Amino acid sequence: MGIIVKAGLHVCVIILFMELTILMGLLDEVHTECGYQFYAETFFQVPSLFPSWLKMPANSLINSGYIAVGMYGLWLSRKFCHKPDFSYCLAVFSWMAVCYGPIQFCRIVTQNHRAAVLDQWVTLPFFAWVIVWCLCVCSVFSKSWCMCISCLSVMSYFLTLLTIYGFEIALGLHIAVAIGAATCAQYKYGDRTSLIALIGAFANCCGFVFLKLYDHELARWQMFQTLTGHFWSKVCDCLQIYFVCEFYCRLNSDKILNQKIGKSM
């Protein structure tokens, strides 16, 4: 079985577990923001050729960006087939992006609580996989570590059953550890090119958070009324995924690997 296919199956298994858990009603008490009042785009609609059920065309169609950047990552993973561990990590991360596009689209269009829960939950493994990637870069990648980190990440979402801020706490911890791990990898093995990619990922992560939180406030400005802050936050999110892929591809380039070998001798 090819590495890319295997990675896709593993991602599907995790998402299937999440969906079954949600369908069983175990997370029905989780707090989510459902309703078009939470999006600035609905207040600036103009007649269009889009169907009536697509109430927020910009926020809906931008999710195709996740599929595009995910497919780009899968294409990149084929270039690293001679490094199976890294190719697998890149393929898993890319498949998550491909799957996240339809998941986020479903949430935007339906404004359904369970769709919102899945959208939140799937976000966490993205950052957990950055940590796994760092282990791969540091040559300590193993299936046991991969499984442990993935399980901890998935199970951390159950903090939402303990407090209304459970998701924010879990996401904040994920982001903090991921940034720390990436910074450590950059310090040990990075160069100027990887640093630029890391800064790009961090900047877009900050942009994503800011633009999403201040969607309504930014809508007071003309430039954020046709394409709102939430739309641009998704652009930043897609760019964040792109720069993360570029960062780790650079750290696994032959030039960097040769430097690692030289330092160890």
Side-chain angles (χ1 to χ4, degrees):
M1 183 184 299
I3 293 176
I4 295 178
V5 175
K6 183 190 296 185
L9 290 176
H10 290 172
V11 171
C12 288
V13 168
I14 294 175
I15 294 178
L16 181 60
F17 167 78
M18 294 177 176
E19 289 182 337
L20 290 176
T21 303
I22 294 170
L23 290 175
M24 290 171 63
L26 299 179
L27 298 171
D28 283 352
E29 300 303 316
V30 172
H31 171 74
T32 61
E33 293 182 344
C34 294
Y36 292 108
Q37 69 272 20
F38 293 106
Y39 302 86
E41 183 179 352
T42 55
F43 298 98
F44 302 101
Q45 282 192 315
V46 294
S48 68
L49 299 177
F50 295 105
S52 59
W53 54 266
L54 197 63
K55 298 184 182 301
M56 295 187 291
N59 281 330
S60 299
L61 299 179
I62 188 58
N63 292 298
S64 60
Y66 291 105
I67 299 175
V69 75
M71 295 301 293
Y72 171 71
L74 291 174
W75 175 76
L76 281 179
S77 67
R78 296 174 61 89
K79 298 173 61 177
F80 291 89
C81 57
H82 58 293
K83 303 170 186 175
D85 287 343
F86 177 75
S87 180
Y88 172 79
C89 288
L90 178 55
V92 167
F93 191 77
S94 301
W95 276 119
M96 284 193 290
V98 171
C99 293
Y100 186 69
I103 290 173
Q104 171 68 195
F105 177 84
C106 183
R107 176 182 182 174
I108 292 293
V109 171
T110 67
Q111 289 302 306
N112 177 270
H113 171 71
R114 290 182 173 180
V117 170
L118 181 61
D119 171 48
Q120 285 187 346
W121 201 352
V122 171
T123 304
L124 300 179
F126 272 103
F127 294 96
W129 209 252
V130 171
I131 303 168
V132 172
W133 238 340
C134 287
L135 295 178
C136 182
V137 169
C138 297
S139 302
V140 292
F141 178 82
S142 67
K143 292 182 179 180
S144 58
W145 273 110
C146 176
M147 182 66 70
C148 181
I149 293 173
S150 298
C151 289
L152 284 174
S153 175
V154 170
M155 298 308 294
S156 69
Y157 187 73
F158 287 94
L159 284 171
T160 55
L161 296 176
L162 302 179
T163 170
I164 192 174
Y165 301 109
F167 173 67
E168 286 75 11
I169 294 172
L171 182 60
L173 289 172
H174 275 73
I175 293 176
V177 176
I179 291 176
T183 302
C184 182
Q186 168 63 28
Y187 176 76
K188 288 185 176 181
Y189 306 116
D191 61 4
R192 180 181 176 85
T193 303
S194 62
L195 177 61
I196 293 174
L198 180 60
I199 293 173
F202 179 72
N204 279 285
C205 180
C206 293
F208 166 74
V209 173
F210 174 80
L211 290 166
K212 186 172 183 179
L213 289 178
Y214 292 95
D215 186 26
H216 284 87
E217 288 78 3
L218 291 170
R220 300 171 184 171
W221 302 82
Q222 182 67 36
M223 64 180 295
F224 287 106
Q225 292 183 0
T226 302
L227 298 176
T228 61
H230 192 276
F231 170 87
W232 291 113
S233 75
K234 292 301 176 183
V235 173
C236 286
D237 204 16
C238 292
L239 288 174
Q240 178 184 193
I241 294 172
Y242 166 78
F243 279 115
V244 168
C245 290
E246 291 296 310
F247 173 67
Y248 284 104
C249 284
R250 180 59 182 175
L251 290 187
N252 276 269
S253 66
D254 292 333
K255 177 182 178 181
I256 298 297
L257 291 177
N258 290 335
Q259 291 177 1
K260 290 166 63 177
I261 294 173
K263 290 179 182 179
S264 63
M265 294 178 62

